[in-house]
Amino acid sequence: MKNHTLKNTLYVTIFGTHTKAGRAFDIALIIAIISSLVVLVLDSIPSVRAEWAKELKYLEYMFTGLFTIEYLVRLYCSPKPAAYAKSFYGVVDLLAILPTYLVLFFPSASFMGVIRALRVMRIFRILKLVRYLQESNILLRSLLMARRKIFIFFSTVAILVTIFGALIFVIEGPENGFTSIPKSIYWAIVTITTVGYGDLVPQTDLGKALASLTMLLGYSILAVPTGIFTAELHQEMQSHKVLVKCPNCSQSGHDSDAMHCKHCGSELADPDKRVVSAEKK
Amino acid sequence: MKNHTLKNTLYVTIFGTHTKAGRAFDIALIIAIISSLVVLVLDSIPSVRAEWAKELKYLEYMFTGLFTIEYLVRLYCSPKPAAYAKSFYGVVDLLAILPTYLVLFFPSASFMGVIRALRVMRIFRILKLVRYLQESNILLRSLLMARRKIFIFFSTVAILVTIFGALIFVIEGPENGFTSIPKSIYWAIVTITTVGYGDLVPQTDLGKALASLTMLLGYSILAVPTGIFTAELHQEMQSHKVLVKCPNCSQSGHDSDAMHCKHCGSELADPDKRVVSAEKK
Amino acid sequence: MKNHTLKNTLYVTIFGTHTKAGRAFDIALIIAIISSLVVLVLDSIPSVRAEWAKELKYLEYMFTGLFTIEYLVRLYCSPKPAAYAKSFYGVVDLLAILPTYLVLFFPSASFMGVIRALRVMRIFRILKLVRYLQESNILLRSLLMARRKIFIFFSTVAILVTIFGALIFVIEGPENGFTSIPKSIYWAIVTITTVGYGDLVPQTDLGKALASLTMLLGYSILAVPTGIFTAELHQEMQSHKVLVKCPNCSQSGHDSDAMHCKHCGSELADPDKRVVSAEKK
Amino acid sequence: MKNHTLKNTLYVTIFGTHTKAGRAFDIALIIAIISSLVVLVLDSIPSVRAEWAKELKYLEYMFTGLFTIEYLVRLYCSPKPAAYAKSFYGVVDLLAILPTYLVLFFPSASFMGVIRALRVMRIFRILKLVRYLQESNILLRSLLMARRKIFIFFSTVAILVTIFGALIFVIEGPENGFTSIPKSIYWAIVTITTVGYGDLVPQTDLGKALASLTMLLGYSILAVPTGIFTAELHQEMQSHKVLVKCPNCSQSGHDSDAMHCKHCGSELADPDKRVVSAEKK
């Protein structure tokens, strides 16, 4: 029984955010994640690495140790360990520690590329922070509601860059740097998104005319995802306004950031919690 | 009579999307289109072409054969073959096979440029995929409703880039790379769309001041197409909300992705179908 | 009396757009403007100029002659010639012919720069086309209503680029190409508008950090003009919807592109005319 | 008593904007700020500095003198001098004069870098202008209401550029210019914001594919801040419409730029004042 209580306390502290201990744990974890990312980034700078290699290595072992303990405790106190291990956060928590162990087990001389890749893969540790962005309910829901429109938009962009890439490949050809269709499609993407690196630019007059068309098109169709998302978000915000009811006088129409009922002044539920409950009903 | 039935079955399978066979045909066709595009793209990479030229050629012949059969069957089973042949999709289906045959009939040595162009023109095969994006009703209608505003926007942009191009031509002149007005207009388009290749940049102080003005203008007027499209889409989505009625209780106000009536719970028509019927009324 | 009638007929034809002759005149004028612009642009391309100098010169004289006649006739038939001459269109019509005459009167050897500038200034002839974009009522009114917000936005951008320009000037200094504050402000504008020519880039780590901040800021504040314009346009479109009344049943709520009353089917006034009348009331 | 009246008159003139003298003072101050900025900017151009060093120096001393007097008078006539000194404007007013004095007290030979930095820091004088942009109530309130959504957006962008930066670092490596993770993150920011300097571009095929993905992502997520701001601004504008009541007939629903009540024609309060009062209630 005592064991069960310990497990439960750990669960509330580690997975929950409402207790004081839970909040403290969250802040400590966020600091640990960011610190370990700083160590990783510093480790990638040749001049820093030359001087502090040893210290950075020990810090890295320390953080890996901490995240390993965190992972094991989560597995232990979770009511359904298998479900946690298979969930997005379970996988992210595992990925945060795995690369360091894999590097240890690999003979350091043999696969330099693989090891460098593994080292850098520790950057995915940053995804552990996603847990604390969960509150972005309304944004995610708007994106989700617009997913079909977004898919159509991306398909259209894919068709456009393929066609423009092929056309510039014919017009400019390998002599002007457009050596293959994939490379030409890369140019089309650089141009249509208005990034414009300038590492590959049309040299012929016809090529420049086509490039101008691509730019103007890219410039205009940017309006489409913006329009889709704005319209969805606006609708979402308005339907939310109608859905939230005051627990005291049960009138609705509250702004999305209202903390008190505008009719009777009673306190309203936390804005982001509210969205969730509105969704469930 | 049996012929008529075969024709009808073919028609429903090939042109329709509601039967099981129709869906299977669609998926097979999409896979064939994408595969043939992959072959075409691979064929344009010199290193791949050097090694796999023969295999890629045979695959290309196979896909052309398939699309030829598809085209003939569509012509055969369509109730109005002439109308189909003249429609957007009829032309696209023909364009998807024509280049390969034309290349065969041309003597390979003579018009290298033409042949390369013809080969690459097969990329328009990608437009066969547009058939499956037809669901983008609401997006297309918003664009269509905004077409006058969009035309005015593009005319304004055309006037602006012509004037800015001419001004930079006077200010910078051929000695700084602005050798003609068309080239200077190309610079103005590169700048106003915020692409900024950097292959042609002002060198004089006055030129830089003009470039700054062009950039700020481009940066701001981007708001115009976005605003137009967003406002139209929003209106479209709201009028849609009012138009759709529940078949059971005939109350309206359903969200654009609602599957069930929010008043009585009856199933609603498929969202995209719905838009069409609303349009027809 | 006859003179007066001729004057009136000319007025209706040249200034009006509702008669058949008026429409024909407009189309002819648009063709003449665009043709003269094509001549001007061709004249700026060295290779074309080398071969066709004479022909282009004669065409230019012809167009200048045409526009001179047009200007004189407009002055003659306008009820208030002085008001026309001082109006935007009067000035544009004069500017369209002035440069050619000025070039003739200048001794060709002396002021080469001035003459080249004068030649190119003929490009402002394109502004004669603005007359035919007058229909952009709703867009212009939205911009006008948002003019204070837009002014505040541009002031903010001006303050930001000045500060970021000065900071990068201190951080990078003349040794990395940032030779003066105006040049550094130019860099800040290139960066904040996401144009990114790449002709001037930070070399130090601190400079890169500042550049990253500038980019992210520029990327985000793009939302502000878009938001302002979208919100104004949306409100404009909705107030328009409420204002337009059917001349038969006098009910309102018509879409901005509706040609018939949605309640009784009577024909409605032309959409763009309608906006004007709504504005007057 | 007389002293008190002088103090009060000064206060109304300097801090207020409603009296004639107050308006005159504001305009004089704006001219002084802009002039002093022009002097500062000219001083940074080597060729101008070479010739006019002395004159620019004297002008600078004059402006510093003026701003010092302004600061002291503000301190004197403010009812709560300490509160003013600690407020945003108090700090800005102090910062506008401090650098010039600090430069005087520093031995000119020793810290060249510090002195140059101090000189340029006078640019923050531009923030004195912010006082006159205070009217941007509605824009600031929309941004403030959207601050949580904006924070989530920036966190997402930070996570994305870290991951994409690390991935390109692994793929391209130091041999293609991606020498460290911070530098690779800089590349990711340049790419995702669609700035695209082109000083650092992927060389490998895999790197180009990743860059394409980054661009498309950056191109699309630009929709998010725009959507957030537009939706908030729209809501703000509509709630404003409901809140403002006519002082005569007390009916609401006035447009944000209305100067007269649309029901009875009585004059309404100044639009921007109105927002403030609506906020206070």
Side-chain angles (χ1 to χ4, degrees), chain B residues 145 147-149 152 232, chain C residues 18 134-139 141 236-237 239-241 243-245 247 254-261 266-279:
Chain B
M145 283 187 60
R147 68 186 175 284
R148 288 186 56 161
K149 296 200 193 74
I152 288 169
E232 291 288 353
Chain C
H18 295 295
Q134 268 305 55
E135 293 174 338
S136 53
N137 265 316
I138 209 170
L139 293 182
R141 281 180 60 205
E236 192 69 11
M237 279 165 72
S239 73
H240 173 234
K241 214 169 168 173
L243 281 169
V244 178
K245 283 187 182 166
H254 306 291
D255 285 333
S256 61
D257 66 337
M259 300 303 290
H260 289 268
C261 170
S266 319
E267 203 167 323
L268 294 170
D270 185 53
D272 295 287
K273 297 286 130 50
R274 233 188 285 161
V275 181
V276 180
S277 68
E279 195 174 18

Short mmCIF file of all heavy atoms in Angstrom, two decimals, chain B residues 145 147-149 152 232, chain C residues 18 134-139 141 236-237 239-241 243-245 247 254-261 266-279:
data_model
loop_
_atom_site.label_atom_id
_atom_site.label_comp_id
_atom_site.label_asym_id
_atom_site.label_seq_id
_atom_site.Cartn_x
_atom_site.Cartn_y
_atom_site.Cartn_z
N MET B 145 -14.19 34.64 -56.62
CA MET B 145 -14.95 35.82 -56.21
C MET B 145 -14.04 37.03 -56.08
O MET B 145 -14.48 38.16 -56.21
CB MET B 145 -15.65 35.55 -54.89
CG MET B 145 -16.89 34.68 -55.06
SD MET B 145 -17.80 34.58 -53.50
CE MET B 145 -18.17 36.30 -53.21
N ARG B 147 -11.48 37.64 -58.00
CA ARG B 147 -10.66 37.78 -59.20
C ARG B 147 -10.49 39.22 -59.67
O ARG B 147 -9.43 39.60 -60.13
CB ARG B 147 -11.19 36.89 -60.33
CG ARG B 147 -12.53 37.29 -60.90
CD ARG B 147 -13.01 36.25 -61.91
NE ARG B 147 -14.36 36.56 -62.36
CZ ARG B 147 -15.46 36.35 -61.65
NH1 ARG B 147 -15.39 35.84 -60.44
NH2 ARG B 147 -16.64 36.66 -62.14
N ARG B 148 -11.52 40.05 -59.50
CA ARG B 148 -11.39 41.45 -59.92
C ARG B 148 -10.40 42.18 -59.04
O ARG B 148 -9.56 42.94 -59.51
CB ARG B 148 -12.74 42.16 -59.85
CG ARG B 148 -13.67 41.69 -60.94
CD ARG B 148 -14.92 42.50 -60.94
NE ARG B 148 -14.64 43.92 -61.06
CZ ARG B 148 -15.54 44.82 -61.43
NH1 ARG B 148 -16.77 44.43 -61.70
NH2 ARG B 148 -15.23 46.07 -61.52
N LYS B 149 -10.52 41.92 -57.73
CA LYS B 149 -9.59 42.57 -56.80
C LYS B 149 -8.17 42.10 -57.09
O LYS B 149 -7.21 42.87 -57.00
CB LYS B 149 -9.98 42.23 -55.36
CG LYS B 149 -11.33 42.77 -54.93
CD LYS B 149 -11.43 42.84 -53.42
CE LYS B 149 -12.87 43.08 -52.99
NZ LYS B 149 -13.68 41.84 -53.16
N ILE B 152 -6.77 43.84 -60.14
CA ILE B 152 -6.35 45.21 -59.81
C ILE B 152 -5.03 45.19 -59.06
O ILE B 152 -4.13 45.99 -59.31
CB ILE B 152 -7.45 45.92 -58.99
CG1 ILE B 152 -8.63 46.24 -59.91
CG2 ILE B 152 -6.92 47.19 -58.34
CD1 ILE B 152 -9.87 46.69 -59.19
N GLU B 232 -12.47 37.16 -48.34
CA GLU B 232 -13.39 36.39 -49.18
C GLU B 232 -13.63 35.00 -48.61
O GLU B 232 -14.76 34.52 -48.56
CB GLU B 232 -12.81 36.23 -50.60
CG GLU B 232 -12.76 37.50 -51.42
CD GLU B 232 -14.14 37.97 -51.90
OE1 GLU B 232 -15.12 37.24 -51.69
OE2 GLU B 232 -14.22 39.08 -52.43
N HIS C 18 -19.28 55.08 -70.81
CA HIS C 18 -20.55 54.38 -70.95
C HIS C 18 -21.03 54.28 -72.39
O HIS C 18 -21.83 53.40 -72.71
CB HIS C 18 -21.61 55.06 -70.07
CG HIS C 18 -21.28 54.92 -68.63
ND1 HIS C 18 -21.24 53.71 -68.00
CD2 HIS C 18 -20.90 55.83 -67.71
CE1 HIS C 18 -20.88 53.87 -66.74
NE2 HIS C 18 -20.65 55.16 -66.55
N GLN C 134 -9.60 52.69 -61.70
CA GLN C 134 -10.42 53.45 -60.78
C GLN C 134 -11.43 52.60 -60.01
O GLN C 134 -11.90 52.99 -58.95
CB GLN C 134 -11.19 54.55 -61.54
CG GLN C 134 -10.45 55.85 -61.60
CD GLN C 134 -10.07 56.37 -60.23
OE1 GLN C 134 -9.43 55.67 -59.44
NE2 GLN C 134 -10.45 57.58 -59.94
N GLU C 135 -11.75 51.44 -60.57
CA GLU C 135 -12.80 50.63 -59.94
C GLU C 135 -12.38 50.08 -58.59
O GLU C 135 -13.19 49.49 -57.89
CB GLU C 135 -13.18 49.49 -60.88
CG GLU C 135 -13.86 49.99 -62.14
CD GLU C 135 -14.09 48.86 -63.11
OE1 GLU C 135 -13.40 47.84 -62.99
OE2 GLU C 135 -14.97 49.00 -63.97
N SER C 136 -11.13 50.24 -58.23
CA SER C 136 -10.62 49.62 -57.01
C SER C 136 -11.12 50.34 -55.76
O SER C 136 -10.39 50.52 -54.79
CB SER C 136 -9.11 49.60 -57.03
OG SER C 136 -8.61 50.89 -57.29
N ASN C 137 -12.38 50.76 -55.78
CA ASN C 137 -12.95 51.52 -54.68
C ASN C 137 -12.78 50.89 -53.32
O ASN C 137 -12.27 51.52 -52.39
CB ASN C 137 -14.45 51.69 -54.91
CG ASN C 137 -14.74 53.00 -55.58
OD1 ASN C 137 -14.17 54.00 -55.20
ND2 ASN C 137 -15.56 52.97 -56.60
N ILE C 138 -13.22 49.65 -53.21
CA ILE C 138 -13.26 49.03 -51.88
C ILE C 138 -11.85 48.84 -51.32
O ILE C 138 -11.61 49.04 -50.13
CB ILE C 138 -14.06 47.70 -51.93
CG1 ILE C 138 -14.71 47.45 -50.58
CG2 ILE C 138 -13.20 46.54 -52.35
CD1 ILE C 138 -15.68 46.29 -50.62
N LEU C 139 -10.87 48.53 -52.20
CA LEU C 139 -9.50 48.36 -51.75
C LEU C 139 -8.94 49.69 -51.26
O LEU C 139 -8.35 49.78 -50.18
CB LEU C 139 -8.63 47.83 -52.88
CG LEU C 139 -8.93 46.41 -53.35
CD1 LEU C 139 -7.95 46.01 -54.43
CD2 LEU C 139 -8.85 45.45 -52.19
N ARG C 141 -10.56 52.33 -50.27
CA ARG C 141 -11.22 52.81 -49.05
C ARG C 141 -10.71 52.08 -47.82
O ARG C 141 -10.55 52.69 -46.76
CB ARG C 141 -12.74 52.64 -49.18
CG ARG C 141 -13.34 53.75 -50.04
CD ARG C 141 -14.81 53.59 -50.16
NE ARG C 141 -15.46 53.63 -48.87
CZ ARG C 141 -16.64 53.07 -48.61
NH1 ARG C 141 -17.26 52.40 -49.56
NH2 ARG C 141 -17.18 53.16 -47.43
N GLU C 236 -15.24 46.52 -44.16
CA GLU C 236 -15.74 47.27 -45.32
C GLU C 236 -16.71 46.41 -46.13
O GLU C 236 -17.79 46.85 -46.51
CB GLU C 236 -14.55 47.69 -46.18
CG GLU C 236 -14.85 48.70 -47.25
CD GLU C 236 -15.19 50.05 -46.64
OE1 GLU C 236 -14.99 50.25 -45.42
OE2 GLU C 236 -15.69 50.88 -47.39
N MET C 237 -16.31 45.14 -46.34
CA MET C 237 -17.15 44.26 -47.14
C MET C 237 -18.48 43.98 -46.44
O MET C 237 -19.50 43.83 -47.07
CB MET C 237 -16.42 42.95 -47.42
CG MET C 237 -15.45 43.07 -48.58
SD MET C 237 -14.29 41.69 -48.63
CE MET C 237 -15.38 40.38 -49.18
N SER C 239 -19.96 45.98 -44.07
CA SER C 239 -20.81 47.16 -43.98
C SER C 239 -21.45 47.41 -45.35
O SER C 239 -22.59 47.84 -45.45
CB SER C 239 -20.01 48.37 -43.52
OG SER C 239 -19.18 48.83 -44.54
N HIS C 240 -20.70 47.07 -46.41
CA HIS C 240 -21.22 47.20 -47.76
C HIS C 240 -22.45 46.30 -47.95
O HIS C 240 -23.46 46.69 -48.50
CB HIS C 240 -20.11 46.80 -48.74
CG HIS C 240 -20.57 46.73 -50.15
ND1 HIS C 240 -20.39 45.62 -50.92
CD2 HIS C 240 -21.20 47.63 -50.93
CE1 HIS C 240 -20.90 45.85 -52.11
NE2 HIS C 240 -21.39 47.05 -52.15
N LYS C 241 -22.31 45.08 -47.40
CA LYS C 241 -23.37 44.09 -47.49
C LYS C 241 -24.67 44.62 -46.87
O LYS C 241 -25.76 44.36 -47.35
CB LYS C 241 -22.92 42.85 -46.73
CG LYS C 241 -23.38 41.55 -47.31
CD LYS C 241 -22.65 40.43 -46.64
CE LYS C 241 -23.26 39.09 -46.97
NZ LYS C 241 -22.46 37.99 -46.45
N LEU C 243 -25.33 47.90 -46.39
CA LEU C 243 -25.76 49.17 -46.97
C LEU C 243 -26.54 49.02 -48.27
O LEU C 243 -27.48 49.77 -48.52
CB LEU C 243 -24.54 50.07 -47.22
CG LEU C 243 -23.99 50.80 -45.99
CD1 LEU C 243 -22.66 51.42 -46.31
CD2 LEU C 243 -24.99 51.85 -45.52
N VAL C 244 -26.15 48.07 -49.11
CA VAL C 244 -26.79 47.95 -50.41
C VAL C 244 -28.22 47.44 -50.27
O VAL C 244 -28.46 46.39 -49.68
CB VAL C 244 -26.00 47.00 -51.33
CG1 VAL C 244 -26.71 46.85 -52.65
CG2 VAL C 244 -24.60 47.52 -51.52
N LYS C 245 -29.15 48.19 -50.81
CA LYS C 245 -30.54 47.76 -50.73
C LYS C 245 -31.07 47.45 -52.12
O LYS C 245 -30.71 48.11 -53.10
CB LYS C 245 -31.39 48.86 -50.09
CG LYS C 245 -31.21 48.88 -48.58
CD LYS C 245 -32.16 49.81 -47.91
CE LYS C 245 -31.89 49.80 -46.40
NZ LYS C 245 -32.53 50.89 -45.71
N PRO C 247 -33.42 47.71 -55.13
CA PRO C 247 -34.31 48.80 -55.53
C PRO C 247 -35.78 48.39 -55.58
O PRO C 247 -36.66 49.24 -55.56
CB PRO C 247 -33.78 49.18 -56.93
CG PRO C 247 -33.02 47.98 -57.41
CD PRO C 247 -32.52 47.28 -56.19
N HIS C 254 -26.88 41.73 -49.39
CA HIS C 254 -26.39 41.11 -50.63
C HIS C 254 -24.88 40.96 -50.61
O HIS C 254 -24.17 41.82 -50.09
CB HIS C 254 -26.79 41.98 -51.82
CG HIS C 254 -28.26 42.24 -51.85
ND1 HIS C 254 -29.17 41.27 -52.12
CD2 HIS C 254 -28.97 43.37 -51.61
CE1 HIS C 254 -30.40 41.79 -52.04
NE2 HIS C 254 -30.31 43.06 -51.73
N ASP C 255 -24.38 39.88 -51.20
CA ASP C 255 -22.93 39.69 -51.33
C ASP C 255 -22.37 40.77 -52.23
O ASP C 255 -23.09 41.36 -53.05
CB ASP C 255 -22.64 38.31 -51.93
CG ASP C 255 -22.84 37.21 -50.91
OD1 ASP C 255 -22.68 37.51 -49.71
OD2 ASP C 255 -23.16 36.08 -51.30
N SER C 256 -21.06 41.03 -52.08
CA SER C 256 -20.47 42.13 -52.82
C SER C 256 -20.42 41.89 -54.32
O SER C 256 -20.21 42.81 -55.09
CB SER C 256 -19.07 42.44 -52.28
OG SER C 256 -18.25 41.30 -52.46
N ASP C 257 -20.60 40.64 -54.76
CA ASP C 257 -20.60 40.40 -56.20
C ASP C 257 -21.98 40.03 -56.73
O ASP C 257 -22.10 39.56 -57.86
CB ASP C 257 -19.59 39.31 -56.55
CG ASP C 257 -20.02 37.97 -55.97
OD1 ASP C 257 -20.80 38.00 -55.00
OD2 ASP C 257 -19.60 36.94 -56.48
N ALA C 258 -23.01 40.19 -55.89
CA ALA C 258 -24.36 39.81 -56.31
C ALA C 258 -24.85 40.73 -57.43
O ALA C 258 -24.67 41.95 -57.37
CB ALA C 258 -25.31 39.90 -55.13
N MET C 259 -25.45 40.16 -58.46
CA MET C 259 -25.98 40.94 -59.57
C MET C 259 -27.50 41.07 -59.45
O MET C 259 -28.12 41.94 -60.03
CB MET C 259 -25.64 40.27 -60.90
CG MET C 259 -24.15 40.10 -61.15
SD MET C 259 -23.25 41.66 -61.09
CE MET C 259 -23.85 42.44 -62.59
N HIS C 260 -28.11 40.14 -58.70
CA HIS C 260 -29.55 40.15 -58.51
C HIS C 260 -29.87 40.10 -57.02
O HIS C 260 -29.13 39.50 -56.25
CB HIS C 260 -30.20 38.96 -59.22
CG HIS C 260 -30.18 39.09 -60.70
ND1 HIS C 260 -31.20 39.64 -61.42
CD2 HIS C 260 -29.21 38.79 -61.61
CE1 HIS C 260 -30.89 39.66 -62.70
NE2 HIS C 260 -29.67 39.14 -62.85
N CYS C 261 -30.98 40.70 -56.65
CA CYS C 261 -31.41 40.66 -55.26
C CYS C 261 -31.67 39.21 -54.87
O CYS C 261 -32.31 38.47 -55.61
CB CYS C 261 -32.71 41.47 -55.09
SG CYS C 261 -33.47 41.26 -53.47
N SER C 266 -34.72 40.93 -58.42
CA SER C 266 -34.55 42.13 -59.26
C SER C 266 -33.06 42.37 -59.49
O SER C 266 -32.22 42.03 -58.66
CB SER C 266 -35.12 43.37 -58.56
OG SER C 266 -36.33 43.06 -57.95
N GLU C 267 -32.78 43.04 -60.63
CA GLU C 267 -31.38 43.31 -60.91
C GLU C 267 -30.88 44.40 -59.96
O GLU C 267 -31.58 45.38 -59.68
CB GLU C 267 -31.22 43.76 -62.36
CG GLU C 267 -29.82 43.51 -62.87
CD GLU C 267 -29.75 43.65 -64.39
OE1 GLU C 267 -30.72 43.25 -65.09
OE2 GLU C 267 -28.74 44.16 -64.85
N LEU C 268 -29.64 44.23 -59.49
CA LEU C 268 -29.04 45.24 -58.62
C LEU C 268 -28.11 46.12 -59.44
O LEU C 268 -27.71 45.75 -60.54
CB LEU C 268 -28.22 44.56 -57.51
CG LEU C 268 -29.00 43.73 -56.50
CD1 LEU C 268 -28.04 42.92 -55.63
CD2 LEU C 268 -29.87 44.62 -55.63
N ALA C 269 -27.74 47.26 -58.91
CA ALA C 269 -26.80 48.16 -59.60
C ALA C 269 -25.45 47.46 -59.72
O ALA C 269 -25.17 46.49 -59.01
CB ALA C 269 -26.66 49.45 -58.80
N ASP C 270 -24.62 47.94 -60.63
CA ASP C 270 -23.29 47.37 -60.83
C ASP C 270 -22.51 47.43 -59.52
O ASP C 270 -22.47 48.47 -58.84
CB ASP C 270 -22.56 48.17 -61.91
CG ASP C 270 -21.22 47.56 -62.25
OD1 ASP C 270 -21.19 46.36 -62.55
OD2 ASP C 270 -20.22 48.28 -62.19
N PRO C 271 -21.88 46.29 -59.10
CA PRO C 271 -21.22 46.25 -57.79
C PRO C 271 -20.37 47.47 -57.47
O PRO C 271 -20.48 48.06 -56.40
CB PRO C 271 -20.38 44.99 -57.89
CG PRO C 271 -21.14 44.09 -58.78
CD PRO C 271 -21.80 45.01 -59.78
N ASP C 272 -19.52 47.90 -58.42
CA ASP C 272 -18.59 48.97 -58.07
C ASP C 272 -19.26 50.33 -58.02
O ASP C 272 -18.89 51.18 -57.23
CB ASP C 272 -17.41 48.96 -59.03
CG ASP C 272 -16.64 47.68 -58.85
OD1 ASP C 272 -15.96 47.57 -57.84
OD2 ASP C 272 -16.79 46.78 -59.69
N LYS C 273 -20.25 50.51 -58.86
CA LYS C 273 -21.04 51.74 -58.78
C LYS C 273 -21.66 51.86 -57.41
O LYS C 273 -21.65 52.87 -56.77
CB LYS C 273 -22.15 51.75 -59.85
CG LYS C 273 -21.65 51.72 -61.26
CD LYS C 273 -21.06 53.06 -61.69
CE LYS C 273 -19.68 52.90 -62.31
NZ LYS C 273 -19.57 51.89 -63.36
N ARG C 274 -22.22 50.71 -57.01
CA ARG C 274 -22.91 50.62 -55.74
C ARG C 274 -22.09 51.14 -54.57
O ARG C 274 -22.56 51.89 -53.74
CB ARG C 274 -23.20 49.14 -55.49
CG ARG C 274 -24.62 48.86 -55.19
CD ARG C 274 -24.74 47.45 -54.78
NE ARG C 274 -24.64 46.53 -55.89
CZ ARG C 274 -24.35 45.25 -55.74
NH1 ARG C 274 -24.06 44.77 -54.55
NH2 ARG C 274 -24.31 44.47 -56.78
N VAL C 275 -20.84 50.73 -54.53
CA VAL C 275 -19.98 51.15 -53.43
C VAL C 275 -19.93 52.67 -53.36
O VAL C 275 -20.06 53.27 -52.31
CB VAL C 275 -18.55 50.60 -53.61
CG1 VAL C 275 -17.68 51.04 -52.44
CG2 VAL C 275 -18.59 49.10 -53.71
N VAL C 276 -19.80 53.28 -54.55
CA VAL C 276 -19.71 54.72 -54.63
C VAL C 276 -20.95 55.37 -54.04
O VAL C 276 -20.88 56.25 -53.19
CB VAL C 276 -19.50 55.18 -56.09
CG1 VAL C 276 -19.40 56.69 -56.14
CG2 VAL C 276 -18.26 54.54 -56.66
N SER C 277 -22.09 54.88 -54.50
CA SER C 277 -23.32 55.52 -54.03
C SER C 277 -23.47 55.32 -52.52
O SER C 277 -23.92 56.20 -51.81
CB SER C 277 -24.53 54.97 -54.79
OG SER C 277 -24.73 53.61 -54.44
N ALA C 278 -23.08 54.15 -52.03
CA ALA C 278 -23.16 53.89 -50.60
C ALA C 278 -22.29 54.89 -49.84
O ALA C 278 -22.63 55.35 -48.76
CB ALA C 278 -22.69 52.47 -50.30
N GLU C 279 -21.20 55.25 -50.45
CA GLU C 279 -20.27 56.18 -49.82
C GLU C 279 -20.87 57.58 -49.76
O GLU C 279 -20.70 58.29 -48.78
CB GLU C 279 -19.00 56.20 -50.68
CG GLU C 279 -17.81 56.81 -50.00
CD GLU C 279 -16.57 56.66 -50.88
OE1 GLU C 279 -16.74 56.40 -52.09
OE2 GLU C 279 -15.47 56.79 -50.36
#
